Amino acid sequence: MRGPGRWWRRKSTPEKVETYTRWSFYFFAVMEFFSVGFTSAAPLGTRLGGAVMLVVAVHAALAFVTVSRAVDWTRGRRPQPVGLMWTLAAVTAAVSVAAIGIAEHGPDGESVDTAAGGVFGVILIFGPGIMALGVRDRRRAFGIAGGFAAGTWVVTFALGASAVTALFTALIVLIGGVFIAFTAVFSVWLLNAVYELDEARETRARLAVAEERLRFGRDLHDVMGRNLAVIALKSELAVQLAQRGRPQAVAQMVEVQRLAHESQREVREVVRGYREADLASELAGAQGVLTAAGIDCTVSGRTPAGLPAGVQSALGWVVREAATNVLRHGDARRCAVRLEVLEGRVVLSVENDGVGEAGDGEGASGSSGSGLAGLRERLAEIDGTLEAGPAGKGLFRLTAEIPLPSAPATGEPVAAVPAVSEVTS
């Protein structure tokens, strides 16, 4: 299903925050034009009002471009827009002085003074606030607003306003400019924090996968280390016996051949996952890994007493593959694992909200690669089935069903199995 919101749903959380930040400040530039530029045409007359509207439009366009370049600089995609910021500052000062000049020496009328005052105030408040996006130091950001407020006092006083009136005008500019500058500083801080948290989450996920690989390496070392050492020793012994013409060399080489075949079988078991996997350990491990990656994971349900080792092993691999897919695909925030016995069959379901737009066929655990195909082959050997696909808007569910040799009585809750509990992380 395609719709106007598809582009938004496909964005990651940091990208959504960045888009929101950009358009919030773009809106300031647009609002500046329509609030004082467009509305000044009627009170100031056709020629003067048109000129003011054009100048305000130029200032708004500069502010629009400055927002874009400043946000890109914040994310390290562009150099700091120093020249653009100085240009915006110069245009801001020029438009403000021109507005004061119109109010003091332009056509008489209260509507003219109101329009000129609106241009003056809005330009001096929005301009410094938008420039604050392009500086990294908070003191400099607030200093820009303070500098324009001080300039306001000097210019208004020099053009004939009383000291009190000039001070009041400068105070209004200072408060408005500091507020917009604070909004800019906070928005940049929030944007950077969201990106850093997302990067930290990806790092935790990569570390979890790396730890799983290390565990596989340790298993392989445990299997092969002793056998290779024995093979090396017996091969050396066989060489020495052969050099002496002793018939025992044949027996030693037969033993080496047996150990080689045994090692080959054990390695195949490790690689293909035929070694028995402890279901309770896999459930606890999946919960820990997903929690470490910032995903709210719950493990619940019941397990039958005396679950066959082959069934436990198969379900353990389903849990491991499902957890890996949740980490590698989509943008899941929660994952629910449930184990239960229904009418002589054990059912394991893993549901997460990391799927993309419903129906797009993508998302966490939504891979159609060799992982799920391998699980289906593994379950088929014990007459089990595996189903995976969308389960509602934004949800993806993986369900494994395995028939039991006999219908056992409902056993203990998962909480009774070591290392697994019904906990919301």
Side-chain angles (χ1 to χ4, degrees):
M1 179 179 178
R2 297 181 180 274
R6 180 182 174 86
W7 68 275
W8 175 260
R9 289 190 292 270
R10 293 181 67 86
K11 288 179 178 290
S12 64
T13 299
E15 290 172 343
K16 290 179 180 177
V17 174
E18 180 179 345
T19 302
Y20 173 79
T21 302
R22 284 180 183 274
W23 282 99
S24 296
F25 285 92
Y26 288 159
F27 178 73
F28 286 157
V30 174
M31 186 171 63
E32 172 187 300
F33 173 75
F34 283 101
S35 63
V36 296
F38 186 74
T39 58
S40 64
L44 297 178
T46 304
R47 294 182 61 183
L48 184 58
V52 170
M53 183 171 64
L54 179 61
V55 171
V56 173
V58 171
H59 185 273
L62 275 174
F64 199 95
V65 177
T66 301
V67 170
S68 177
R69 299 295 177 86
V71 174
D72 285 344
W73 167 73
T74 298
R75 297 306 313 144
R77 304 184 189 115
R78 292 179 182 267
Q80 188 178 15
V82 177
L84 191 59
M85 291 168 59
W86 277 108
T87 303
L88 180 61
V91 173
T92 300
V95 174
S96 302
V97 171
I100 296 178
I102 292 173
E104 294 293 333
H105 307 289
D108 294 331
E110 184 178 351
S111 60
V112 173
D113 293 341
T114 301
V119 172
F120 174 82
V122 170
I123 292 294
L124 276 181
I125 289 175
F126 284 176
I130 288 176
M131 281 185 280
L133 284 171
V135 296
R136 204 177 298 277
D137 191 347
R138 290 190 297 270
R139 290 174 295 182
R140 291 184 179 181
F142 297 132
I144 292 174
F148 273 93
T152 298
W153 186 88
V154 172
V155 172
T156 52
F157 183 73
L159 291 178
S162 65
V164 175
T165 301
L167 181 61
F168 181 74
T169 304
L171 186 61
I172 293 176
V173 170
L174 177 64
I175 294 174
V178 167
F179 176 76
I180 301 297
F182 172 79
T183 303
V185 170
F186 179 78
S187 298
V188 169
W189 173 83
L190 180 63
L191 177 62
N192 290 332
V194 170
Y195 268 104
E196 289 172 2
L197 288 173
D198 188 67
E199 291 171 0
R201 177 183 172 183
E202 291 180 359
T203 300
R204 288 196 299 267
R206 288 195 297 268
L207 289 176
V209 174
E211 185 175 350
E212 179 65 20
R213 291 174 178 173
L214 288 175
R215 187 177 74 158
F216 177 82
R218 288 193 298 268
D219 289 346
L220 193 60
H221 177 270
D222 293 341
V223 168
M224 292 298 297
R226 182 186 64 84
N227 287 356
L228 288 177
V230 174
I231 287 174
L233 290 174
K234 287 189 172 293
S235 298
E236 292 176 3
L237 179 59
V239 169
Q240 294 178 4
L241 292 174
Q243 289 175 346
R244 298 174 185 175
R246 305 285 295 274
Q248 291 86 344
V250 176
Q252 295 297 327
M253 290 307 300
V254 170
E255 182 65 14
V256 167
Q257 185 182 37
R258 186 192 66 79
L259 287 172
H261 286 304
E262 179 68 16
S263 299
Q264 186 181 28
R265 183 186 62 80
E266 290 181 349
V267 169
R268 188 182 301 113
E269 289 176 354
V270 172
V271 174
R272 298 181 61 185
Y274 288 160
R275 297 176 65 187
E276 292 183 1
D278 183 67
L279 179 58
S281 299
E282 293 298 335
L283 288 169
Q287 187 178 36
V289 167
L290 294 177
T291 301
I295 300 173
D296 180 24
C297 180
T298 60
V299 178
S300 61
R302 307 182 69 84
T303 185
L307 191 65
V311 175
Q312 284 204 48
S313 179
L315 293 178
W317 281 99
V318 171
V319 172
R320 183 180 300 183
E321 180 68 21
T324 301
N325 284 344
V326 171
L327 288 172
R328 290 180 175 175
H329 308 286
D331 188 21
R333 293 180 298 274
R334 66 176 183 84
C335 180
V337 182
R338 182 170 182 80
L339 179 67
E340 56 187 344
V341 175
L342 301 172
E343 300 178 354
R345 54 194 173 90
V346 60
V347 180
L348 174 71
S349 64
V350 182
E351 182 177 288
N352 68 86
D353 62 351
V355 74
E357 181 182 0
D360 65 5
E362 299 175 356
S365 303
S367 173
S368 59
S370 59
L372 296 183
L375 289 179
R376 288 190 175 94
E377 294 175 0
R378 188 187 305 278
L379 293 176
E381 294 179 359
I382 52 176
D383 298 326
T385 60
L386 181 73
E387 296 181 359
K393 186 175 182 180
L395 296 178
F396 188 93
R397 182 182 300 136
L398 183 147
T399 304
E401 295 187 12
I402 302 176
L404 297 174
S406 60
T410 301
E412 299 298 326
V414 173
V417 181
V420 183
S421 59
E422 185 170 352
V423 178
T424 301
S425 300

